[in-house]
Amino acid sequence: MIFERYIKNYMYEFDQLDRCFWNYEDGCVLIGAQAMYEATGDEYYFDSIRNFIDRYVKDDGIMYYDPKEYNIDKIPSGRVLYLLYKRTHNETYRKAIELLMGQLREHPRTECGSFWHKKIYPYQIWLDGLYMGMPFYMMYENDFDGGKNYSDIINQFLNARKYLYDEEKHLYYHAYDEKKEMFWADKETGLSPNFWSRATGWYLMALADCYELMPKEQEEYRKVLADLWKEAVDGMLEYQDKESGLFYQLTALPEQEGNYLETSSSSMVAYSILKGCRLGVLPEAVYRAKGEEILIALETRMFTMKNGKLELGGMCVGAGLGPADNPRRDGTVAYYLA
């Protein structure tokens, strides 16, 4: 009840937005609206998606989008274009899909074969990027390319496992610099210094969505995704706060002064767990209660009512790595807690 009311209110405000940039944040809202549409059949959500996309997607391209920026964060808003194209057969949406896929075809890569996070972040793999790029890529393979590049998608997940996973902590670091040159990167490992819960959340959602999208006859690839998914969920659950059921902003440092229980990452973990139960990857008897525990904690701890309006708090505004000041995005404890 509370979640659905909050989402409906949020979508009403979202419908009024007219921002001068094409971004992943709005893409997350659109993807969520599609999930609500598919779960409820409520046309309000479909209309909200189309209303938003039609403000940005035109016959001659996507407003405020330059594929030559090679920014993987620009891709996820395009996921809803597949739904719009299937329902309307409007070629404008198909052209936009091809424009975004054109970026991925030319997107620069690390020597190990993964997409750079951005052109301005060369030779870097971020966990965020798996969510930003892989589900859209998988949808394209399913609908238009005959699945010939499934192996490329799987390889990028395996690269994340190889280069970002900590075998002792059972967690993934936020990012990896293949050249080991960035000021935030360890000079021996190339890794960023800390475990950020939302980065893991992006990864867990990427695994969940790509597993669901991978055709059932692709048993070998589905098994790779399922194994990575269960391992990552199990690792994260080692750090679930026993009192609240939620996760801290800095996953492995619950005692750190200033660390806080963080809403978005906790939501992402719940999403991944419950989807894993629904798809049969995670045994319901073991995992469903964990996912529901997180949702109940979010409902009872993180929602407030102000002037008759539901508000959701406890959320990190954003965190990245690389050139920026105030605060300097160096991946330190102080940075993530700022």
Side-chain angles (χ1 to χ4, degrees):
M1 177 74 75
I2 287 179
F3 287 105
E4 193 163 359
R5 177 177 171 183
Y6 174 77
I7 291 167
K8 267 284 178 69
N9 291 343
Y10 193 97
M11 290 307 301
Y12 176 78
E13 295 184 3
F14 185 74
D15 284 343
Q16 319 305 314
L17 290 178
D18 191 12
R19 291 199 272 245
C20 296
F21 58 106
W22 175 261
N23 61 86
Y24 78 88
E25 296 94 337
D26 292 339
C28 289
V29 180
L30 295 168
I31 293 164
Q34 179 171 341
M36 291 297 292
Y37 170 64
E38 291 170 347
T40 66
D42 189 338
E43 289 290 327
Y44 173 78
Y45 294 108
F46 179 84
D47 293 341
S48 292
I49 293 167
R50 190 168 188 181
N51 172 55
F52 184 91
I53 288 295
D54 285 352
R55 296 203 298 269
Y56 292 88
V57 174
K58 309 298 179 183
D59 283 337
D60 59 351
I62 300 172
M63 295 174 65
Y64 314 114
Y65 168 67
D66 177 4
K68 298 301 182 184
E69 287 182 4
Y70 297 115
N71 181 346
I72 205 78
D73 286 346
K74 301 292 187 178
I75 298 297
S77 292
R79 284 174 58 176
V80 297
L81 292 167
Y82 295 94
L83 169 68
L84 293 174
Y85 181 63
K86 287 174 183 176
R87 274 204 50 177
T88 68
H89 306 291
N90 185 333
E91 285 299 316
T92 299
Y93 301 136
R94 174 64 193 273
K95 289 177 184 177
I97 290 171
E98 292 295 341
L99 183 62
L100 292 165
M101 190 61 208
Q103 174 189 323
L104 292 186
R105 288 193 184 98
E106 299 178 3
H107 203 94
R109 294 176 181 247
T110 61
E111 293 175 7
C112 64
S114 292
F115 294 137
W116 292 4
H117 193 65
K118 299 179 184 181
K119 183 179 179 180
I120 61 171
Y121 300 147
Y123 298 99
Q124 295 172 34
I125 303 172
W126 294 21
L127 279 188
D128 317 25
L130 277 298
Y131 181 80
M132 303 303 166
M134 296 305 115
F136 178 92
Y137 191 0
M138 181 86 78
M139 294 167 86
Y140 189 88
E141 288 301 308
N142 287 349
D143 288 3
F144 302 120
D145 216 19
K148 68 181 184 182
N149 290 309
Y150 289 148
S151 60
D152 184 30
I153 295 168
I154 295 300
N155 182 60
Q156 297 199 46
F157 279 105
L158 290 173
N159 281 341
R161 174 61 173 81
K162 180 177 181 179
Y163 294 106
L164 286 95
Y165 187 71
D166 188 296
E167 296 283 357
E168 294 183 1
K169 298 288 188 181
H170 303 153
L171 291 171
Y172 284 79
Y173 287 94
H174 187 177
Y176 165 71
D177 171 22
E178 191 175 54
K179 297 298 183 181
K180 304 178 176 66
E181 294 175 348
M182 288 301 296
F183 60 84
W184 51 259
D186 184 280
K187 298 310 176 188
E188 293 185 8
T189 66
L191 291 164
S192 56
N194 282 290
F195 304 107
W196 179 40
S197 288
R198 187 148 83 209
T200 301
W202 290 125
Y203 182 64
L204 288 174
M205 293 202 302
L207 287 163
D209 291 358
C210 285
Y211 180 90
E212 183 177 40
L213 289 164
M214 183 67 78
K216 290 183 179 179
E217 60 268 22
Q218 299 291 338
E219 295 180 7
E220 181 181 352
Y221 292 145
R222 283 167 65 87
K223 185 178 188 311
V224 172
L225 291 171
D227 289 348
L228 291 173
W229 188 4
K230 185 177 184 302
E231 177 185 64
V233 166
D234 287 343
M236 194 64 174
L237 285 175
E238 293 179 28
Y239 298 89
Q240 185 180 22
D241 180 56
K242 289 181 173 56
E243 179 183 351
S244 68
L246 302 176
F247 296 87
Y248 280 92
Q249 162 79 340
L250 286 171
T251 320
L253 299 175
E255 305 300 325
Q256 174 66 45
E257 183 179 358
N259 205 0
Y260 58 93
L261 297 170
E262 204 278 326
T263 295
S264 67
S265 57
S266 299
S267 303
M268 291 159 147
V269 177
Y271 170 92
S272 189
I273 289 173
L274 292 172
K275 193 165 190 173
C277 292
R278 175 167 62 82
L279 297 177
V281 174
L282 303 176
E284 289 217 12
V286 179
Y287 291 92
R288 174 165 290 278
K290 288 290 186 182
E292 292 176 344
E293 180 184 19
I294 297 167
L295 291 184
I296 291 169
L298 291 168
E299 183 172 316
T300 56
R301 288 174 173 264
M302 297 305 189
F303 280 105
T304 56
M305 183 73 77
K306 293 184 180 179
N307 300 319
K309 177 185 172 184
L310 272 174
E311 295 189 356
L312 183 59
M315 216 171 301
C316 171
V317 173
L321 295 160
D325 293 310
N326 194 28
R328 189 168 189 255
R329 306 200 314 172
D330 56 7
T332 60
V333 169
Y335 166 68
Y336 283 110
L337 299 184

